[in-house]
Amino acid sequence: MSCPLCGTRKERRACPALHQTICAVCCGTKRLTEIQCPDDCVYLTSAREHPAAVVKRQQEHDVALLLPTIEKMTERQYQLFFLFQNLIARHTPEGFARLVDDDVADAAAAVASTLETAARGVIYEHTAQSAPAQRLAAELKTMLVDMNKQGATVHDREAAIVLRAIERGARETRKVEQGDAAYLTVMARLLQRNRATPKPAQTPSSLIIP
């Protein structure tokens, strides 16, 4: 029988999350993105322990692209970076619009400029250019407000540093990768890898995770 997800390839793997049998390609490509795999899934465990050579090379390539963006960050800034990135990954533009790297860079730059201005004691709202960027910028600002309401202390300068890093990443990735959503694609792969990697026990973070 055909895989219920793609409808073309033969079903081969029993998926504990979907309670269906799916093809190996859908299992590999939709794992932890469209399919919320349980930690005890044998295919997820195998992929963690023995990543394919092509996957490993892709991971190394993605990390090399991201490293110049985050290498000088503090631990708190690193945490905030991935909180922002998770929000960006979940963001859905209105209507038929699609989010592209220029929107991410524009939104991050607008919010960073507003925070940098506020840190100098001047209240001025910088506005992103495109409509998708404006909506994303509004979500980023709301996230910061919510975090502070929950008890986290995120200083304007600190958040601005992280947002400038996202802006640079979105602009620089376009120079070496093809496509108008190259940065978003790289970050999606890194976020998937981050979710798939078992986390060691750590001391509580100084940031409140929303």
Side-chain angles (χ1 to χ4, degrees), residues 35-79:
I35 302 174
Q36 299 305 309
C37 312
D39 288 337
D40 59 355
C41 172
V42 294
Y43 301 109
L44 176 62
T45 301
S46 177
R48 286 171 172 172
E49 295 176 352
H50 308 288
V54 65
V55 173
K56 189 172 182 180
R57 287 195 296 271
Q58 183 68 70
Q59 290 173 350
E60 292 171 349
H61 173 73
D62 291 343
V63 171
L65 283 176
L66 179 63
L67 190 59
T69 301
I70 65 172
E71 62 182 345
K72 294 183 180 180
M73 285 186 181
T74 65
E75 178 62 25
R76 278 173 53 86
Q77 291 167 357
Y78 179 81
Q79 293 171 18

Coordinates of all heavy atoms in Angstrom, one line a residue, residues 35-79:
I35 N 6.0 15.5 12.0 CA 5.7 14.4 12.8 C 6.3 14.6 14.2 O 7.6 14.7 14.3 CB 6.2 13.0 12.2 CG1 5.6 12.8 10.8 CG2 5.8 11.9 13.1 CD1 6.2 11.6 10.1
Q36 N 5.6 14.5 15.3 CA 6.1 14.7 16.6 C 6.5 13.4 17.2 O 5.7 12.7 17.9 CB 5.0 15.4 17.5 CG 4.6 16.8 17.0 CD 5.8 17.7 16.9 OE1 6.6 17.8 17.8 NE2 5.9 18.3 15.7
C37 N 7.7 12.9 16.9 CA 8.1 11.6 17.2 C 8.3 11.5 18.7 O 8.9 12.4 19.4 CB 9.5 11.3 16.5 SG 9.5 11.7 14.8
P38 N 7.9 10.4 19.3 CA 8.2 10.1 20.7 C 9.7 9.7 20.9 O 10.3 9.2 19.9 CB 7.3 8.9 21.1 CG 7.1 8.2 19.8 CD 7.1 9.3 18.7
D39 N 10.2 10.0 22.1 CA 11.7 9.7 22.3 C 12.1 8.3 22.1 O 13.2 8.0 21.9 CB 12.1 10.2 23.7 CG 12.1 11.7 23.8 OD1 12.2 12.4 22.7 OD2 11.9 12.3 24.9
D40 N 11.1 7.4 22.3 CA 11.4 5.9 22.2 C 11.3 5.4 20.8 O 11.4 4.1 20.6 CB 10.6 5.1 23.2 CG 9.1 5.3 23.0 OD1 8.7 6.1 22.1 OD2 8.3 4.6 23.7
C41 N 11.0 6.2 19.8 CA 10.9 5.7 18.5 C 12.2 5.1 18.0 O 13.3 5.8 18.1 CB 10.5 6.8 17.5 SG 10.5 6.4 15.8
V42 N 12.2 3.9 17.5 CA 13.5 3.2 17.1 C 14.2 3.9 16.0 O 15.4 4.0 15.9 CB 13.2 1.8 16.8 CG1 12.8 1.0 18.0 CG2 12.2 1.6 15.7
Y43 N 13.4 4.5 15.1 CA 14.0 5.2 13.9 C 14.6 6.5 14.3 O 15.7 6.9 13.8 CB 12.9 5.4 12.8 CG 12.3 4.1 12.3 CD1 11.0 3.8 12.7 CD2 13.0 3.2 11.6 CE1 10.4 2.6 12.3 CE2 12.5 2.0 11.2 CZ 11.2 1.7 11.5 OH 10.6 0.5 11.1
L44 N 14.0 7.2 15.3 CA 14.5 8.5 15.8 C 15.8 8.2 16.6 O 16.8 8.9 16.4 CB 13.5 9.2 16.7 CG 14.0 10.4 17.4 CD1 14.4 11.5 16.4 CD2 12.9 10.9 18.4
T45 N 15.8 7.1 17.4 CA 17.0 6.8 18.2 C 18.2 6.4 17.2 O 19.3 6.8 17.4 CB 16.7 5.6 19.1 OG1 15.6 5.9 19.9 CG2 17.9 5.2 19.9
S46 N 17.9 5.6 16.2 CA 18.9 5.2 15.2 C 19.5 6.4 14.5 O 20.7 6.5 14.3 CB 18.3 4.3 14.2 OG 19.3 3.9 13.2
A47 N 18.6 7.4 14.1 CA 19.1 8.6 13.4 C 20.0 9.4 14.3 O 20.9 10.1 13.9 CB 17.9 9.4 12.9
R48 N 19.7 9.5 15.6 CA 20.5 10.3 16.6 C 21.9 9.6 16.7 O 22.9 10.3 16.7 CB 19.8 10.3 17.9 CG 18.6 11.2 18.0 CD 17.9 11.1 19.3 NE 16.8 12.0 19.5 CZ 16.0 12.0 20.5 NH1 16.0 11.0 21.4 NH2 15.1 12.9 20.7
E49 N 21.9 8.3 16.8 CA 23.1 7.6 17.1 C 24.0 7.4 15.8 O 25.2 7.4 15.9 CB 22.8 6.2 17.7 CG 22.2 6.3 19.1 CD 21.8 5.0 19.6 OE1 21.9 4.0 18.9 OE2 21.4 4.9 20.8
H50 N 23.3 7.3 14.6 CA 24.1 7.0 13.4 C 23.6 7.9 12.3 O 22.9 7.4 11.4 CB 23.9 5.5 13.0 CG 24.3 4.6 14.2 ND1 25.6 4.4 14.6 CD2 23.5 3.8 14.9 CE1 25.6 3.5 15.6 NE2 24.3 3.1 15.8
P51 N 23.8 9.2 12.3 CA 23.3 10.0 11.2 C 24.0 9.7 9.9 O 25.2 9.3 9.9 CB 23.8 11.4 11.7 CG 24.9 11.2 12.6 CD 24.6 9.9 13.3
A52 N 23.3 9.7 8.8 CA 23.9 9.4 7.5 C 25.0 10.4 7.2 O 24.9 11.6 7.7 CB 22.8 9.5 6.5
A53 N 25.9 10.0 6.4 CA 27.1 10.8 6.1 C 26.6 12.2 5.5 O 27.1 13.2 5.8 CB 28.0 10.1 5.2
V54 N 25.6 12.1 4.6 CA 25.1 13.3 3.9 C 24.5 14.2 4.9 O 24.6 15.5 4.8 CB 24.2 13.0 2.8 CG1 22.9 12.3 3.3 CG2 23.8 14.2 2.0
V55 N 23.8 13.7 5.9 CA 23.2 14.5 6.9 C 24.2 15.1 7.8 O 24.1 16.3 8.2 CB 22.2 13.6 7.8 CG1 21.7 14.4 9.0 CG2 21.1 13.1 7.0
K56 N 25.2 14.4 8.1 CA 26.3 14.9 9.0 C 27.0 16.1 8.3 O 27.4 17.1 8.9 CB 27.3 13.8 9.3 CG 28.3 14.2 10.4 CD 29.2 13.1 10.8 CE 30.2 13.5 11.9 NZ 31.0 12.4 12.3
R57 N 27.3 15.9 7.0 CA 27.9 17.0 6.2 C 27.1 18.2 6.2 O 27.6 19.4 6.3 CB 28.3 16.5 4.8 CG 29.4 15.5 4.7 CD 29.9 15.4 3.3 NE 28.9 14.8 2.4 CZ 28.7 13.5 2.2 NH1 29.5 12.6 2.8 NH2 27.8 13.1 1.4
Q58 N 25.7 18.0 6.0 CA 24.8 19.1 6.0 C 24.8 19.9 7.4 O 24.8 21.1 7.4 CB 23.4 18.7 5.7 CG 22.4 19.8 5.6 CD 22.6 20.7 4.4 OE1 22.4 20.2 3.2 NE2 23.0 21.9 4.6
Q59 N 24.8 19.1 8.4 CA 24.9 19.7 9.8 C 26.1 20.5 10.0 O 26.1 21.7 10.5 CB 24.8 18.6 10.8 CG 23.5 17.9 10.9 CD 23.5 16.7 11.8 OE1 24.5 16.3 12.3 NE2 22.3 16.1 12.1
E60 N 27.3 20.0 9.6 CA 28.5 20.7 9.7 C 28.5 22.0 8.9 O 29.0 23.0 9.3 CB 29.7 19.8 9.3 CG 29.9 18.6 10.2 CD 30.9 17.6 9.7 OE1 31.3 17.7 8.5 OE2 31.3 16.7 10.5
H61 N 27.9 21.9 7.7 CA 27.8 23.1 6.8 C 27.0 24.1 7.4 O 27.3 25.3 7.5 CB 27.2 22.6 5.4 CG 26.9 23.8 4.5 ND1 27.9 24.5 3.9 CD2 25.8 24.3 4.1 CE1 27.4 25.4 3.1 NE2 26.1 25.4 3.3
D62 N 25.8 23.7 8.0 CA 24.9 24.7 8.6 C 25.5 25.4 9.8 O 25.4 26.6 10.0 CB 23.6 24.0 9.0 CG 22.8 23.5 7.8 OD1 23.0 24.0 6.7 OD2 21.9 22.7 8.0
V63 N 26.2 24.6 10.6 CA 26.9 25.1 11.8 C 27.9 26.1 11.4 O 28.1 27.2 12.1 CB 27.4 24.0 12.7 CG1 28.3 24.6 13.8 CG2 26.3 23.2 13.3
A64 N 28.7 25.8 10.4 CA 29.7 26.7 9.9 C 29.1 28.0 9.4 O 29.7 29.1 9.6 CB 30.5 26.1 8.8
L65 N 28.0 28.0 8.8 CA 27.3 29.2 8.4 C 26.8 30.0 9.6 O 26.9 31.3 9.6 CB 26.1 28.9 7.5 CG 26.3 28.5 6.1 CD1 25.0 28.1 5.4 CD2 27.0 29.6 5.3
L66 N 26.3 29.4 10.6 CA 25.8 30.1 11.8 C 26.8 30.6 12.7 O 26.6 31.6 13.4 CB 24.8 29.1 12.5 CG 24.2 29.7 13.8 CD1 23.2 30.8 13.4 CD2 23.4 28.6 14.5
L67 N 28.0 29.9 12.8 CA 29.0 30.2 13.8 C 29.4 31.7 13.9 O 29.5 32.2 14.9 CB 30.2 29.3 13.6 CG 31.2 29.3 14.7 CD1 30.6 28.9 16.1 CD2 32.4 28.4 14.4
P68 N 29.7 32.3 12.7 CA 30.1 33.7 12.8 C 29.1 34.6 13.4 O 29.4 35.7 14.0 CB 30.3 34.1 11.3 CG 30.6 32.8 10.6 CD 29.8 31.8 11.3
T69 N 27.8 34.2 13.4 CA 26.7 35.0 13.9 C 26.6 34.9 15.5 O 26.3 35.8 16.1 CB 25.4 34.5 13.4 OG1 25.4 34.6 11.9 CG2 24.2 35.3 13.9
I70 N 27.0 33.7 16.0 CA 26.7 33.5 17.5 C 28.0 33.3 18.3 O 27.9 33.2 19.5 CB 25.8 32.2 17.7 CG1 26.5 31.0 17.2 CG2 24.5 32.4 17.0 CD1 25.8 29.7 17.5
E71 N 29.2 33.2 17.6 CA 30.4 32.8 18.4 C 30.8 33.8 19.5 O 31.5 33.4 20.4 CB 31.6 32.7 17.4 CG 32.0 33.9 16.6 CD 33.1 33.7 15.7 OE1 33.7 32.6 15.8 OE2 33.4 34.5 14.8
K72 N 30.4 35.0 19.4 CA 30.8 36.0 20.5 C 29.6 36.2 21.5 O 29.7 37.1 22.3 CB 31.2 37.3 19.9 CG 32.4 37.2 19.0 CD 32.9 38.6 18.5 CE 34.1 38.4 17.6 NZ 34.6 39.7 17.1
M73 N 28.6 35.4 21.4 CA 27.4 35.6 22.3 C 27.7 35.0 23.7 O 28.4 34.0 23.8 CB 26.2 34.9 21.7 CG 25.6 35.7 20.6 SD 24.0 34.9 20.1 CE 23.5 36.0 18.7
T74 N 27.1 35.6 24.7 CA 27.1 35.0 26.0 C 26.1 33.9 26.0 O 25.3 33.7 25.1 CB 26.7 36.1 27.1 OG1 25.4 36.5 26.9 CG2 27.6 37.3 27.0
E75 N 26.0 33.1 27.1 CA 25.1 32.0 27.2 C 23.7 32.6 27.2 O 22.8 32.0 26.6 CB 25.3 31.3 28.5 CG 24.3 30.1 28.8 CD 24.4 29.0 27.7 OE1 25.4 28.9 27.1 OE2 23.3 28.4 27.6
R76 N 23.4 33.7 27.9 CA 22.1 34.3 27.9 C 21.7 34.7 26.5 O 20.5 34.5 26.1 CB 22.0 35.5 28.9 CG 21.8 35.1 30.3 CD 21.9 36.3 31.2 NE 21.0 37.4 30.7 CZ 19.8 37.5 31.1 NH1 19.2 36.7 31.9 NH2 19.1 38.6 30.7
Q77 N 22.6 35.4 25.8 CA 22.3 35.8 24.4 C 22.0 34.6 23.5 O 21.2 34.7 22.6 CB 23.4 36.7 23.9 CG 23.5 38.0 24.6 CD 24.8 38.7 24.3 OE1 25.7 38.2 23.7 NE2 25.0 39.9 24.9
Y78 N 22.8 33.6 23.7 CA 22.6 32.4 22.9 C 21.2 31.8 23.1 O 20.5 31.4 22.2 CB 23.7 31.3 23.3 CG 23.6 30.0 22.6 CD1 24.1 29.9 21.3 CD2 23.0 28.9 23.2 CE1 24.1 28.7 20.6 CE2 23.0 27.7 22.5 CZ 23.5 27.6 21.2 OH 23.4 26.4 20.6
Q79 N 20.8 31.8 24.4 CA 19.4 31.3 24.7 C 18.4 32.2 24.0 O 17.4 31.7 23.4 CB 19.2 31.2 26.2 CG 20.0 30.2 26.9 CD 19.9 30.4 28.4 OE1 19.0 31.0 28.9 NE2 20.9 29.9 29.2

